[in-house]
Amino acid sequence: MTNATTGEDFWRDYPLVSERYQAGLLDAADWATWRANRLRAVLRHVTARSPFYARHLAGVDLDAVTPDTLGRLPFTTKDDLRREMHDVLAGTPADALIYYETTGTTGASTPCPRDAKDVMSSNVHVEWAWRRLFDHYFDGRRPVVGLMGPSELYAFGDTFGDVAQRLGACHVKIWPESPRVGFRKALRLIRELNVEVLVAAPALCLNLAKAALQNGLDPARDLPVKLFTVLGEICTPAFGANVRSIWGADVRPALYGSQEALAIGTGCHLDRLHISGPNYLVEVLDPDSEASLGAYGTGELCLTMLVDGIKPLIRYRTGDLVTVAPNSCGCGGPGDVVEVLGRVADRVAIGAGRYRPAQIESAVLGGLSRCLGYQVVIDTAPNGTDALTVYVELLRDGAADADGSAERAALATRLTEHFGVPTRVEVTTELDPITNTGAFVSWKAARIKDNRAGADQDVAAARAAAGAHSLRS
């Protein structure tokens, strides 16, 4: 393996490393060489070409920094990206292949262009993951894939469109929230084109089911969807089981990533996400003390990117709560496994505990089926303790317990025991529209209404976005 410090070396070496990685053929010495050389290349690249990193890393002896001594480098934060904007780039937008931005729902949109190295090295891991996933579900046959996400200034459509084409699978861009599509047209195209795979945010699995019901369609009986591959927010096993109870379709992770950090991990048929190993040095941080816990553990994910593209980030604090563990998955895919638990900022204090989004969602949905959505409202009881009201929308078909009373009582009892605070459950036929926004702004803004707190910027942004997530178009 060469030093891989020049562009020519990278284009020669990366495909070979990637293929060996996917085949499980990289040994400890290979990894040590690759990571050390790529870190050196990226540090030289950003200090020479990025005005921000030239200042941010000034005074650091870069030649003394190794993958084992990353702690000598300062963090890069989202505040840095918002403040510095184009100065973070290792070049200008004209040096990129394509320009994207973050959504800017709760602050300024930050530039996220990608050059040829970025696109190739990120997409190849999605391609391998989809190849394995399609082989598992469709025995080599290529299904029609519906892409249900934004495309303008956003990588979703380009990434999955490119991967689908590479695999020879027909894809159709049918984001229901686009003014050119809408839910009715999306449902029509799913039926007419026999779309078997949908790529979407988890919340859209439920929103699409509600739209189908409003249009007189039974999701499981009348629509051909066999597989949802999801991204963009947490998707707990309880959520996946609930979606299966409505659609009769499996739910698997598509990828975990962001506009800034690209495809960090890719999904498999065993519900795990595998980190794209050649592209990152991974640290897990204690979210409160900021101390590094090393490459494994539970805490905030911190990434150092190993591809010297247009915007490599150094010790980037993602703000995501994760658990990272060595690969013990039986799917056949490579890479350490990352479980996404939610945003650090989305942790919620209830009673005597502090709960991650995944813990709350698992508690609510763990005892339910055919649930079209939920919202947790937190109040202060007269005695000063916390009190919960959980609103759920249930799909009923005239079977026993048609009004959900038994499930409601059982859920209230279980949540009271789980959180240690009094809980009541209300079944509703129409949830607060803010729940339709999913993680478009934040999971917490969509799912938690905290009456103990004052005005919240995220809630205001989600409330403003709720109108654009109408299911009646």
Side-chain angles (χ1 to χ4, degrees), residues 11-96:
W11 286 106
R12 179 185 63 234
D13 287 352
Y14 193 91
L16 299 175
V17 169
S18 175
E19 289 182 11
R20 293 182 64 200
Y21 170 70
Q22 294 293 337
L25 298 177
L26 294 177
D27 60 23
D30 291 330
W31 275 120
T33 300
W34 177 258
R35 287 168 173 160
N37 290 338
R38 294 309 310 156
L39 177 61
R40 186 179 307 115
V42 168
L43 291 177
R44 291 175 179 173
H45 180 64
V46 297
T47 51
R49 296 178 59 83
S50 164
F52 165 67
Y53 277 116
R55 300 190 306 271
H56 198 56
L57 302 180
V60 176
D61 182 1
L62 298 181
D63 290 333
V65 178
T66 71
D68 295 324
T69 61
L70 281 177
R72 299 182 182 183
L73 302 177
F75 294 119
T76 302
T77 67
K78 291 184 183 291
D79 285 341
D80 292 329
L81 303 187
R82 294 188 185 106
R83 183 186 66 252
E84 300 289 337
M85 302 297 277
H86 289 268
D87 276 359
V88 178
L89 306 184
T92 71
D95 297 316

Side-chain angles (χ1 to χ4, degrees), residues 380-386:
T380 301
N383 64 358
T385 64
D386 293 334

Side-chain angles (χ1 to χ4, degrees), residues 202-242:
L204 193 50
C205 302
L206 301 183
N207 293 348
L208 190 65
K210 287 192 277 190
L213 293 164
Q214 290 172 6
N215 283 274
L217 299 172
D218 180 290
R221 185 188 65 233
D222 298 325
L223 296 168
V225 179
K226 294 182 173 62
L227 176 66
F228 286 96
T229 64
V230 297
L231 71 164
E233 60 187 274
I234 60 170
C235 183
T236 61
F239 184 94
N242 178 63

